Amino acid sequence: MKQLMLGNEAVARGAYEAGVRVVSAYPGTPSTEINEAVAKYEEIYSEWAPNEKVAVETALGASVAGVRAMSCMKHVGLNVAADPFFTAAYTGVNAGLVLVVADDPGMHSSQNEQDTRLLARAAHVPVLDPSDSEECRQFMPLAFEMSEEYDTPVIVRLTKRVAHARTLTDTGERREIPLKKYIKNPSKYISMPGNMIRRHPLVEQREIRLSEDANTLSINRIEWAGKQLGVITSGAAYNYVKQALPDASVLKLGLVYPLPRRMIEEFANQVHELVVIEDMEPFIEDTIKAWGIRCSGKDKTGILGELFARKIAHKFAGEEDPGP
């Protein structure tokens, strides 16, 4: 049955369907409604933590104990949670562990426009980037499966427009995931130098494996149209590109870190002009340029504030920025 849901509500629904049992969060727009929606599901223990660090530690503890767990915050909250977040990237998980982090392009309710993808790259943690409420719901079970398959925390990154927009969303049944057995393993979970020196190579190998698997991941897809212009995009920006540039071929990324290099190279080779359109930092664009692939992006759209369909349309028509 389809219904209109906020992106944040759809994240909560997706977590419910994924069999999540513990959610610890700290309130802050644009993420607050996630835990408010989670609290309506009796099958999930949910709480407000005193800060984001405690929220991530609680979720990590639940994961190690054997239950799927989630922690939610806004982008600057990940700064507060950096200690357990970076540690969990090395220790890995037991049951799935997902962090939902909501970025705020345009600073509608925040003190900066920091980009969560940069912290994820520093931690070597994968990032999923949904573009509407239905993808918010669909990506949550995938995020937990990925967390368990690759033994890593996973970030589901929202932006304000995805978090607060309502789009038609399906609903599915809840999966009751059996508890994973807790096995005492000090060399994995005690973050001391001797242990983590041995864990670091596993982190690097995991990222290589993720990068290769990303090339065949269904949430990364090509939508062919004309070959004159090819656009690589993700998240909310995908919706703007489809409206503003209907004749462009689009490589739509659901996994934005690590990137599917082979898929991007094949797409780039088949279009005359390659453009990256993404909110906030030139994260995808800079990586593609570092590979030696010619592309443009932020020189056209700018790095400040939100993207909108009209802004993209005006920029590609060579017209002045229409403003907010």
Side-chain angles (χ1 to χ4, degrees):
M1 176 181 175
K2 290 186 180 291
Q3 55 184 287
L4 282 172
M5 283 190 191
L6 288 175
N8 283 343
E9 294 171 338
V11 166
R13 179 69 195 189
Y16 165 79
E17 293 175 10
V20 170
R21 299 197 191 194
V22 173
V23 176
S24 187
Y26 186 79
T29 302
S31 72
T32 304
E33 296 93 347
I34 299 172
N35 205 34
E36 292 175 342
V38 165
K40 298 175 183 178
Y41 296 107
E42 294 181 357
E43 297 88 344
I44 304 176
Y45 167 81
S46 66
E47 66 175 24
W48 291 119
N51 58 52
E52 294 89 349
K53 179 178 183 291
V54 173
V56 171
E57 288 171 339
T58 300
L60 176 58
S63 163
V64 172
V67 301
R68 287 187 169 183
M70 180 171 78
S71 184
C72 312
M73 66 207 71
K74 66 187 293 180
H75 60 304
V76 291
L78 193 56
N79 301 336
V80 182
D83 182 23
F85 169 60
F86 276 80
T87 297
Y90 271 46
T91 65
V93 303
N94 185 16
L97 173 63
V98 173
L99 278 62
V100 183
V101 185
D103 287 357
D104 192 11
M107 292 184 283
H108 294 268
S109 57
S110 307
Q111 64 268 48
N112 66 31
E113 285 187 291
Q114 90 183 42
D115 193 322
T116 291
R117 297 175 298 177
L118 298 174
L119 279 176
R121 180 171 62 191
H124 302 282
V125 167
V127 182
L128 302 180
D129 197 11
S131 61
D132 59 20
S133 298
E134 175 61 4
E135 287 193 347
C136 286
R137 183 189 71 88
Q138 291 178 342
F139 282 17
M140 292 306 297
L142 174 61
F144 283 97
E145 291 164 10
M146 185 177 292
S147 175
E148 293 169 356
E149 170 69 20
Y150 296 94
D151 191 16
T152 180
V154 172
I155 287 179
V156 174
R157 176 208 184 221
L158 309 182
T159 55
K160 178 184 179 295
R161 296 295 167 182
V162 173
H164 287 169
R166 283 186 172 87
T167 61
L168 280 174
T169 308
D170 284 321
T171 56
E173 297 298 319
R174 176 176 170 84
R175 288 180 60 200
E176 291 299 341
I177 307 297
L179 293 177
K180 287 187 174 289
K181 184 178 179 180
Y182 168 72
I183 299 174
K184 187 175 182 180
N185 189 350
S187 64
K188 175 173 165 60
Y189 294 117
I190 295 180
S191 183
M192 297 294 289
N195 293 335
M196 295 303 106
I197 287 170
R198 290 187 290 272
R199 293 288 304 171
H200 190 189
L202 301 178
V203 174
E204 302 297 336
Q205 292 163 15
R206 176 183 76 205
E207 189 164 64
I208 292 170
R209 182 181 164 210
L210 271 163
S211 299
E212 182 58 33
D213 292 350
N215 291 293
T216 55
L217 197 63
S218 63
I219 61 172
N220 295 331
R221 66 177 186 268
I222 297 175
E223 299 172 357
W224 287 113
K227 297 289 184 76
Q228 180 64 27
L229 177 63
V231 178
I232 298 175
T233 189
S234 69
Y238 165 77
N239 304 303
Y240 310 145
V241 168
K242 295 295 286 185
Q243 182 177 344
L245 304 172
D247 296 327
S249 291
V250 175
L251 171 48
K252 197 267 188 193
L253 297 173
L255 179 71
V256 293
Y257 188 77
L259 291 170
R261 180 168 181 170
R262 189 174 70 250
M263 187 180 196
I264 290 171
E265 288 174 339
E266 291 172 355
F267 181 71
N269 287 335
Q270 296 185 64
V271 297
H272 179 73
E273 180 185 2
L274 183 65
V275 175
V276 180
I277 298 180
E278 56 188 320
D279 269 312
M280 307 177 83
E281 299 293 326
F283 180 83
I284 299 170
E285 179 184 349
D286 285 351
T287 301
I288 293 173
K289 286 179 175 177
W291 293 339
I293 299 173
R294 186 175 179 180
C295 66
S296 61
K298 289 300 179 181
D299 58 320
K300 292 180 170 64
T301 61
I303 201 169
L304 304 177
E306 293 187 270
L307 295 176
F308 296 102
R310 64 179 183 275
K311 183 176 182 179
I312 293 169
H314 277 266
K315 289 291 187 181
F316 278 81
E319 301 170 0
E320 290 295 320
D321 188 339

